[in-house]
Amino acid sequence: MREVLLSVLLLILTCAFNQKLLARNSGVFTPTNSAIIAEQIDSLMQGYDYYKRFSGSVLVAHKDQVLYAKSFGYADAEKGELNQNSSVYGIGSLTKQFTAAAILKLAEEDKLSINDNLSGFFPGLGEETEKITIHHLLSMSSGINEDFSRSKTYDLSNVIFPEETPIGIQQLVYYFNELSLDFNPGTRFDYSNMNYILLAAIIEQVSGQTYQDYLNNTFWLPLQMHSTAFGQFNADKSLLSQPYLGLPNTNEAPPIWHDSWLVGAGGVFTSVYDLHQWFQALRNQNVLRVDINAKLFEKYTNSGKDHYGYGWDIATRNGSSYISHPGGTLGYVSEAGFYPDQELYVIVLSNHTHDLLEIGRSVRNISLLSDQIHQILFQKPFEILPTPTKDLTVLESGKFTVGGFPYHIEQKEDKISIVAIDGSPSILDLYYHQDLKEDSRRFKKAQRLAVAFGETDFKTVRRKSELLMKMLVSSKKLKGIWDEITGERGDFVSYNFYRVPDDISTNTYRVRLVYEKTEVGLRLNMKKRGRLRGMHIDQQFSFDGPETVDGKAIDSDLIFIDGFRYKYPDFKIERMDDQWMFRTLAGDFPMVGFKQ
């Protein structure tokens, strides 16, 4: 369960260590390079397709010109039908941009104001709704506690997931009876599906039409977006790409969710071509009046490193404004956006995800893929996955040690197997078994904190913490969270400090805590003088990797381990100056006794 909880937090390291290419004139988009751009994107996508990391459609366009459009994987695996560029996918939270546009259209027609209070539409939701405006819902700043398909804690048992049977919109709105607030509306950002469900209900109440009919009549039909609809039940069955779980190893049909449970927040189905049409219409201000259209893209709330507009993430990317949104639901993930100044559009829609409770991993995968496409467009270094050009035999079977642990390696047909033996950790977990040392006062204090956490000695943790951490420990919330995460851990056994690929800050230490029944990775953020400023679970940490790991010989000097299939980063075994090295993003390990 701990691994599931960590994966839900959406932070996992993937897609690294690959062949890096660099175009000229780095940092500038040049339309005349369209043929080169298409070739480079295709080389990127071929690697994703080879390792089954992507099933879906990709479209990249400049104005009306499609620079690249191609589809991969199966629309229907059972029938052997492939995805097409015209295929229709569920787009999850990308739906929110349509909801926001519909609300602004009603505002443009003076049928409502974005400053209207929620209580005027749904007085039965309680007195807190008098504080919430439509603007707060649009900008994710309402503070509403209740939600669907999302958890604000590690506990997933109370999450309200959609059901197979449909639900009426009034029943959905009043599902929780009265609403409560986590904070005063307008004071901060908190992403919530409930905000946009309420907006969909307002659209239906004010327009007198269903959500599907209003969007269809107002936007989709006028823009000839004939492949777009709300709900799988309304989608064109001849174009529908079936959703699958089990990325990348299996194609499993997901449980059935009726899209009525997330109306306004998710549930729209569309194609890459229709989204390109929609994005162009928004960018060219053909959807709403100019002054109203601009409201979609203002920076209303700080969402972290970016800002949130009305149904859009507003960011600066490659030195330019970039407007986008991700989406994730059962069997579907997506990321799509555009650069308004360059009139560049990037749309990635997929019909194959990890399991339900690991949907964040799938969103991250699509985000990493999209990042590489952006690198190509702006002629920056990008990475492609190495694929073998032919079957190779690069080594003999044998035993070797790496990082002080023994492994057995064997090549059979087109794969090379690396087996942990004699109690060794999975080779994928090797860098978590490092025992890093540092000769500093701060490190010694970090060691004492590691023991304190291991022994659940929160009095010591409190004594060695900064004020905010002291408050957290004193409130006893930390102990509750700790028990929830670690579960039945047994007695504390040992600890060691380790390094991972993205370690930049010298103020952060990562520590592996070993118990009788489990292991936990922590990130301890220390002040210069050694007091604890913050503690986080290390979402990258793992201790139960596979005993046998398979790799592929790329050439006579390189073996590539596809970490993605194991839910890990990628790894390499590479010959460097006549010495074989196991190469990780956290460092290189000589392979002693490796036979050539």
Side-chain angles (χ1 to χ4, degrees):
M1 185 62 181
R2 187 186 72 78
E3 292 301 313
V4 169
L5 293 173
L6 297 184
S7 67
V8 174
L9 296 175
L10 312 186
L11 295 172
I12 191 74
L13 205 64
T14 56
C15 190
F17 252 144
N18 308 320
Q19 299 174 10
K20 185 169 287 188
L21 304 178
L22 176 63
R24 297 178 182 176
N25 304 318
S26 179
V28 179
F29 169 70
T30 307
T32 55
N33 288 344
S34 58
I36 296 174
I37 286 171
E39 181 181 346
Q40 292 176 337
I41 295 175
D42 198 53
S43 68
L44 170 72
M45 294 309 306
Q46 291 301 327
Y48 270 74
D49 185 47
Y50 179 84
Y51 291 105
K52 302 188 186 310
R53 297 191 183 187
F54 180 77
S55 173
S57 299
V58 175
L59 181 143
V60 179
H62 176 237
K63 299 182 179 179
D64 290 328
Q65 180 190 6
V66 174
L67 304 178
Y68 183 84
K70 198 166 183 177
S71 298
F72 305 86
Y74 288 103
D76 191 318
E78 186 175 340
K79 296 180 180 178
E81 296 176 355
L82 299 175
N83 281 318
Q84 307 294 327
N85 293 345
S86 57
S87 291
V88 167
Y89 303 85
I91 60 171
S93 289
L94 271 167
T95 297
K96 291 179 173 70
Q97 63 190 269
F98 293 112
T99 305
I103 287 289
L104 291 188
K105 189 66 174 178
L106 292 170
E108 179 183 306
E109 296 169 346
D110 293 324
K111 294 180 179 179
L112 57 76
S113 166
I114 59 173
N115 296 315
D116 288 343
N117 290 327
L118 186 57
S119 58
F121 300 97
F122 308 113
L125 290 178
E127 62 182 20
E128 300 287 17
T129 58
E130 297 177 5
K131 306 175 186 177
I132 302 169
T133 66
I134 290 177
H135 163 75
H136 293 142
L137 299 176
L138 287 166
S139 60
M140 297 293 187
S141 60
S142 71
I144 293 173
N145 172 269
E146 292 74 19
D147 206 358
F148 291 90
S149 295
R150 293 182 62 81
S151 174
K152 298 181 181 182
T153 71
Y154 288 101
D155 184 8
L156 301 181
S157 61
N158 295 321
V159 175
I160 307 300
F161 288 113
E163 299 178 8
E164 182 176 350
T165 54
I167 186 172
I169 198 160
Q170 289 299 308
Q171 184 183 356
L172 189 65
V173 166
Y174 287 97
Y175 187 92
F176 300 102
N177 296 316
E178 295 186 359
L179 299 178
S180 60
L181 297 180
D182 286 336
F183 55 85
N184 288 329
T187 58
R188 64 184 177 89
F189 172 86
D190 185 38
Y191 191 88
S192 168
N193 286 323
M194 191 64 183
N195 289 331
Y196 276 71
I197 289 171
L198 291 168
L199 290 170
I202 291 171
I203 291 167
E204 293 202 357
Q205 186 180 127
V206 173
S207 70
Q209 302 178 58
T210 66
Y211 179 80
Q212 154 74 18
D213 288 345
Y214 184 77
L215 291 177
N216 199 43
N217 295 331
T218 307
F219 301 135
W220 300 336
L221 286 180
L223 291 172
Q224 299 183 36
M225 297 169 60
H226 299 301
S227 297
T228 304
F230 170 71
Q232 189 168 342
F233 45 85
N234 287 319
D236 187 334
K237 299 300 185 289
S238 67
L239 298 176
L240 182 64
S241 182
Q242 298 294 333
Y244 292 105
L245 304 181
L247 185 73
N249 302 312
T250 61
N251 294 301
E252 302 170 12
I256 297 174
W257 281 3
H258 199 277
D259 292 303
S260 58
W261 283 81
L262 288 171
V263 59
V268 165
F269 283 70
T270 190
S271 68
V272 292
Y273 288 135
D274 273 14
L275 276 182
H276 178 215
Q277 181 81 354
W278 170 249
F279 288 177
Q280 279 192 295
L282 286 174
R283 189 269 168 199
N284 296 328
Q285 302 174 338
N286 295 330
V287 175
L288 300 164
R289 199 173 67 217
V290 173
D291 59 318
I292 299 293
N293 194 81
K295 293 181 180 297
L296 285 171
F297 310 122
E298 289 186 26
K299 298 178 179 179
Y300 297 109
T301 46
N302 189 324
S303 58
K305 67 176 183 178
D306 299 326
H307 291 80
Y308 204 78
Y310 285 168
W312 289 96
D313 289 321
I314 315 298
T316 298
R317 199 165 182 174
N318 295 300
S320 300
S321 174
Y322 182 65
I323 300 166
S324 67
H325 209 288
T329 185
L330 273 180
Y332 295 110
V333 286
S334 56
E335 182 171 296
F338 61 97
Y339 293 89
D341 295 338
Q342 288 87 353
E343 296 185 69
L344 266 177
Y345 306 90
V346 180
I347 301 167
V348 182
L349 307 182
S350 174
N351 68 320
H352 197 181
T353 71
H354 295 87
D355 296 334
L356 168 61
L357 297 182
E358 297 182 308
I359 194 69
R361 193 188 302 272
S362 301
V363 173
R364 176 64 174 159
N365 178 48
I366 293 300
S367 178
L368 288 167
L369 171 58
S370 180
D371 286 346
Q372 295 303 306
I373 293 173
H374 289 266
Q375 292 290 102
I376 291 171
L377 287 173
F378 286 87
Q379 303 183 73
K380 293 183 176 181
F382 64 97
E383 297 171 344
I384 61 173
L385 296 167
T387 56
T389 54
K390 60 182 179 179
D391 291 339
L392 295 170
T393 300
V394 299
L395 50 89
E396 299 175 6
S397 299
K399 183 177 178 180
F400 65 96
T401 60
V402 55
F405 295 100
Y407 296 88
H408 185 268
I409 192 163
E410 184 176 9
Q411 179 164 347
K412 291 183 179 179
E413 299 177 350
D414 65 339
K415 69 179 180 182
I416 295 168
S417 297
I418 304 159
V419 184
I421 58 176
D422 300 335
S424 296
S426 168
I427 200 162
L428 301 181
D429 290 331
L430 188 63
Y431 51 58
Y432 300 119
H433 289 256
Q434 300 171 78
D435 192 13
L436 301 181
K437 304 293 184 184
E438 180 183 301
D439 186 17
S440 71
R441 181 180 176 185
R442 182 170 56 190
F443 181 72
K444 291 177 181 177
K445 291 187 176 182
Q447 288 177 305
R448 289 194 284 271
L449 279 166
V451 173
F453 274 108
E455 296 178 345
T456 324
D457 177 10
F458 291 114
K459 288 184 179 179
T460 297
V461 173
R462 182 184 183 280
R463 192 168 62 251
K464 297 183 179 298
S465 295
E466 288 282 287
L467 179 61
L468 290 178
M469 277 298 296
K470 284 182 184 291
M471 293 172 61
L472 177 63
V473 177
S474 298
S475 70
K476 298 184 179 179
K477 288 183 179 179
L478 180 60
K479 185 179 186 305
I481 294 171
W482 186 252
D483 290 341
E484 191 175 308
I485 292 169
T486 57
E488 296 183 11
R489 54 187 176 266
D491 292 337
F492 177 51
V493 177
S494 64
Y495 72 90
N496 63 274
F497 286 85
Y498 61 90
R499 182 178 66 252
V500 297
D502 62 350
D503 280 344
I504 298 174
S505 173
T506 57
N507 297 327
T508 298
Y509 295 100
R510 296 181 190 252
V511 59
R512 166 180 168 248
L513 303 179
V514 181
Y515 296 92
E516 286 181 322
K517 299 180 180 180
T518 190
E519 297 185 16
V520 178
L522 289 185
R523 291 168 51 211
L524 304 178
N525 186 253
M526 312 286 287
K527 292 284 284 185
K528 186 175 182 180
R529 295 192 176 184
R531 301 197 73 80
L532 182 65
R533 181 164 51 186
M535 182 277 289
H536 306 275
I537 297 298
D538 184 358
Q539 289 89 23
Q540 299 174 28
F541 177 78
S542 176
F543 65 93
D544 55 0
E547 180 180 287
T548 300
V549 174
D550 293 330
K552 284 188 174 290
I554 304 303
D555 56 42
S556 59
D557 294 321
L558 176 63
I559 299 166
F560 178 71
I561 298 174
D562 176 21
F564 185 82
R565 65 176 296 198
Y566 302 108
K567 303 175 185 177
Y568 278 79
D570 296 327
F571 298 88
K572 286 181 179 180
I573 297 174
E574 189 169 8
R575 181 156 40 195
M576 305 174 66
D577 298 326
D578 294 326
Q579 168 68 60
W580 284 94
M581 305 288 288
F582 178 66
R583 308 198 66 192
T584 78
L585 289 168
D588 297 341
F589 297 85
M591 303 184 71
V592 181
F594 194 101
K595 293 184 178 181
Q596 302 183 43

